[in-house]
Amino acid sequence: MEQKDIWLESLITATPQEGRELAIKMSRKSIAAIQTDPEVRKSLRSDYATDTKQLIASANVIAIDFQTIAMANNYWRD
Amino acid sequence: MEQKDIWLESLITATPQEGRELAIKMSRKSIAAIQTDPEVRKSLRSDYATDTKQLIASANVIAIDFQTIAMANNYWRD
Amino acid sequence: MEQKDIWLESLITATPQEGRELAIKMSRKSIAAIQTDPEVRKSLRSDYATDTKQLIASANVIAIDFQTIAMANNYWRD
Amino acid sequence: MEQKDIWLESLITATPQEGRELAIKMSRKSIAAIQTDPEVRKSLRSDYATDTKQLIASANVIAIDFQTIAMANNYWRD
Amino acid sequence: MEQKDIWLESLITATPQEGRELAIKMSRKSIAAIQTDPEVRKSLRSDYATDTKQLIASANVIAIDFQTIAMANNYWRD
Amino acid sequence: MEQKDIWLESLITATPQEGRELAIKMSRKSIAAIQTDPEVRKSLRSDYATDTKQLIASANVIAIDFQTIAMANNYWRD
């Protein structure tokens, strides 16, 4: 039986803002896929949350993931 | 009842320049989603506003978000 | 009455080279949107104009903005 | 006879989440193509798994590779 | 009379390799647009030509500019 | 007579994995176009092959070049 956490069933969202939230989630999940220990991730959080260089780099990742989601949703035009 | 701040209802803007302004807003909102404390964000502002490396990195994020918005608006061609 | 500086009325340019010039302008305007003080921007100029790392990072931003402009102009094919 | 490891037969996946997993695999394979010694790669793992700057940079790579995979799958829309 | 150096008349090239060469030229021209003094650029050359971090960052710019050129040429498919 | 090394005749490859190999080659050729001395490039190799930051940055370049190749091949769908 499938036990794996299914967190990305679709790229389709109701609104652009929900698309943005999905992009943030996707970016976080990428980091979790590399650093698999949630305790370590928690301890690392202070490293980047007050480092503007890393906040900007995170926004770059979110922008790329959001572009993909926006394409999938035909930019919520229709 | 929905209390959440709705800040991204649409990617459609009247002009390219408004699209650019939306891209800047989106980039800022990404950072706010990670560093949720407005006081901390305010205190961090001086870290990047006079650091050209970070200003350039911010412009990179804006360029990606603007590309998505430009696609959504069919490049304001019609 | 509208007093705001309108600097981006259209993504359409006559030639690819003018598109390139618009991309450079867009990148500069992104930085100006974050660091709004022109005197500070002027004083920062020497920080990046002789730092190849930052020159390359600037070229990265220009490349992304130019791609958007090229798409808008259908690559100046027709 | 073909002895080479065939790890990328198709960009098509059943679900977005499998697409995400393929993107992570592709990013890893890129690094393996440059640093070909698996023992060295293993020893390097601690360098980036606890360095948030590098985790964010890795997420940037995954976001780009995922965008390509999402395009290939027509965003799993049909 | 027009005295300005016209270096980008078209994104169309005969072959992918010529497209690659144009991408390299475009990246160089971006840097020249910011650091306008050719003597300074020449003196800076040694800063990045032996710094692998900067060589990789340059390759990133070339990859983006080449993608735009490849799109313009319909990937040299027809 | 044409003596120049022709290394990029087409973006078309038989399989996605061959496309990936072409992306790696393209990234390497970009670096070779800037640092033209093969002996210097060889001596620089140890600088990045054990530096995870640079390995990740290289994977970013490969991801962009691969996206272009995947587009050219219509994602190997047909």
Side-chain angles (χ1 to χ4, degrees):
Chain A
M1 264 164 291
E2 179 63 47
Q3 291 275 356
K4 199 168 66 167
D5 173 33
I6 300 297
W7 63 271
L8 187 60
E9 289 201 66
S10 169
L11 296 179
I12 306 305
T13 68
T15 65
Q17 187 160 334
E18 285 179 32
R20 204 76 188 170
E21 285 157 16
L22 179 56
I24 293 167
K25 185 182 179 181
M26 282 165 70
S27 306
R28 288 203 168 123
K29 287 282 188 179
S30 290
I31 286 170
I34 305 168
Q35 176 46 265
T36 50
D37 186 330
E39 287 309 307
V40 174
R41 288 202 304 274
K42 216 172 164 180
S43 72
L44 292 172
R45 203 179 148 75
S46 60
D47 286 0
Y48 65 85
T50 55
D51 178 346
T52 53
K53 277 186 215 73
Q54 297 189 57
L55 288 169
I56 296 166
S58 300
N60 202 83
V61 179
I62 293 167
I64 299 169
D65 275 326
F66 179 71
Q67 186 170 84
T68 306
I69 294 165
M71 287 165 169
N73 286 279
N74 197 24
Y75 310 100
W76 299 275
R77 270 192 300 224
D78 42 34
Chain B
M1 264 163 292
E2 179 64 47
Q3 292 276 354
K4 199 168 67 167
D5 173 34
I6 300 296
W7 62 271
L8 186 60
E9 290 201 65
S10 169
L11 296 179
I12 305 306
T13 68
T15 66
Q17 187 160 333
E18 285 179 30
R20 204 75 188 170
E21 285 157 16
L22 179 57
I24 293 167
K25 185 181 179 182
M26 281 165 70
S27 306
R28 288 202 168 125
K29 287 283 187 178
S30 290
I31 287 170
I34 305 169
Q35 176 44 265
T36 49
D37 186 330
E39 287 310 306
V40 175
R41 288 202 304 274
K42 215 171 165 182
S43 73
L44 292 172
R45 204 179 148 75
S46 61
D47 286 0
Y48 65 84
T50 55
D51 178 346
T52 53
K53 276 186 216 73
Q54 297 188 57
L55 288 169
I56 296 165
S58 300
N60 202 83
V61 179
I62 292 168
I64 298 169
D65 275 326
F66 179 71
Q67 187 171 84
T68 306
I69 294 165
M71 288 166 169
N73 286 279
N74 198 24
Y75 310 99
W76 299 274
R77 268 191 302 222
D78 41 35
Chain C
M1 264 164 292
E2 179 64 48
Q3 292 275 355
K4 199 169 68 169
D5 174 33
I6 300 297
W7 63 271
L8 187 60
E9 290 202 65
S10 168
L11 296 179
I12 306 305
T13 68
T15 66
Q17 187 160 333
E18 285 180 30
R20 204 77 188 168
E21 285 157 16
L22 179 56
I24 293 166
K25 185 181 178 182
M26 281 165 71
S27 307
R28 287 201 167 125
K29 286 283 187 179
S30 289
I31 286 169
I34 305 169
Q35 176 45 264
T36 49
D37 186 330
E39 286 310 305
V40 175
R41 289 201 304 273
K42 216 171 164 181
S43 73
L44 293 172
R45 203 180 148 75
S46 60
D47 287 0
Y48 65 85
T50 55
D51 178 346
T52 53
K53 276 186 217 73
Q54 296 189 57
L55 288 169
I56 296 165
S58 300
N60 202 84
V61 179
I62 292 167
I64 298 169
D65 275 327
F66 180 71
Q67 187 172 84
T68 307
I69 295 165
M71 288 166 169
N73 286 280
N74 198 23
Y75 310 99
W76 299 274
R77 269 190 304 223
D78 39 36
Chain D
M1 263 164 293
E2 178 63 46
Q3 292 275 355
K4 199 169 65 166
D5 173 33
I6 300 296
W7 63 272
L8 187 60
E9 290 202 65
S10 169
L11 297 180
I12 306 305
T13 68
T15 65
Q17 188 159 333
E18 286 180 31
R20 204 78 188 168
E21 285 157 16
L22 179 56
I24 293 167
K25 186 182 179 181
M26 281 165 70
S27 306
R28 287 202 167 123
K29 286 283 187 178
S30 289
I31 287 170
I34 304 168
Q35 176 47 264
T36 50
D37 186 331
E39 287 309 307
V40 174
R41 288 201 304 273
K42 216 173 165 179
S43 72
L44 291 172
R45 203 179 148 75
S46 60
D47 286 359
Y48 65 85
T50 55
D51 178 345
T52 52
K53 275 185 216 74
Q54 296 189 58
L55 288 169
I56 296 166
S58 299
N60 203 83
V61 179
I62 292 167
I64 298 169
D65 275 326
F66 179 72
Q67 186 171 83
T68 306
I69 294 164
M71 288 166 169
N73 286 279
N74 198 23
Y75 310 99
W76 299 274
R77 271 193 298 226
D78 42 33
Chain E
M1 263 164 294
E2 179 62 48
Q3 292 275 357
K4 199 168 67 169
D5 174 33
I6 300 296
W7 63 271
L8 186 60
E9 290 202 65
S10 168
L11 297 179
I12 306 305
T13 68
T15 66
Q17 187 160 335
E18 285 179 32
R20 203 79 188 167
E21 285 157 15
L22 179 56
I24 293 167
K25 185 182 179 182
M26 281 165 71
S27 307
R28 286 200 168 126
K29 286 283 187 178
S30 290
I31 287 169
I34 305 168
Q35 177 45 265
T36 50
D37 186 330
E39 287 310 305
V40 175
R41 288 201 304 274
K42 216 172 165 180
S43 72
L44 293 172
R45 202 179 150 74
S46 60
D47 287 359
Y48 64 84
T50 55
D51 178 345
T52 53
K53 275 186 218 73
Q54 296 188 58
L55 288 169
I56 295 165
S58 300
N60 202 84
V61 179
I62 293 167
I64 298 169
D65 275 327
F66 179 72
Q67 186 172 83
T68 306
I69 295 165
M71 289 166 169
N73 286 279
N74 198 22
Y75 311 98
W76 299 274
R77 270 191 303 225
D78 41 33
Chain F
M1 263 165 291
E2 179 63 47
Q3 292 275 356
K4 199 169 66 167
D5 172 33
I6 300 296
W7 62 271
L8 186 60
E9 289 202 66
S10 169
L11 296 180
I12 307 305
T13 68
T15 65
Q17 187 160 335
E18 286 179 32
R20 203 78 188 167
E21 285 158 15
L22 179 56
I24 293 167
K25 185 181 180 183
M26 281 165 70
S27 306
R28 287 202 168 124
K29 286 283 186 178
S30 289
I31 287 169
I34 305 168
Q35 177 46 265
T36 50
D37 186 331
E39 287 310 306
V40 175
R41 287 201 304 272
K42 216 174 166 179
S43 72
L44 292 173
R45 203 180 149 73
S46 60
D47 287 359
Y48 64 85
T50 55
D51 178 346
T52 52
K53 276 185 217 73
Q54 297 189 57
L55 288 169
I56 295 166
S58 300
N60 202 83
V61 179
I62 292 167
I64 299 169
D65 275 326
F66 179 71
Q67 186 171 83
T68 306
I69 295 165
M71 288 166 169
N73 286 279
N74 198 23
Y75 310 99
W76 299 275
R77 270 192 300 227
D78 42 32

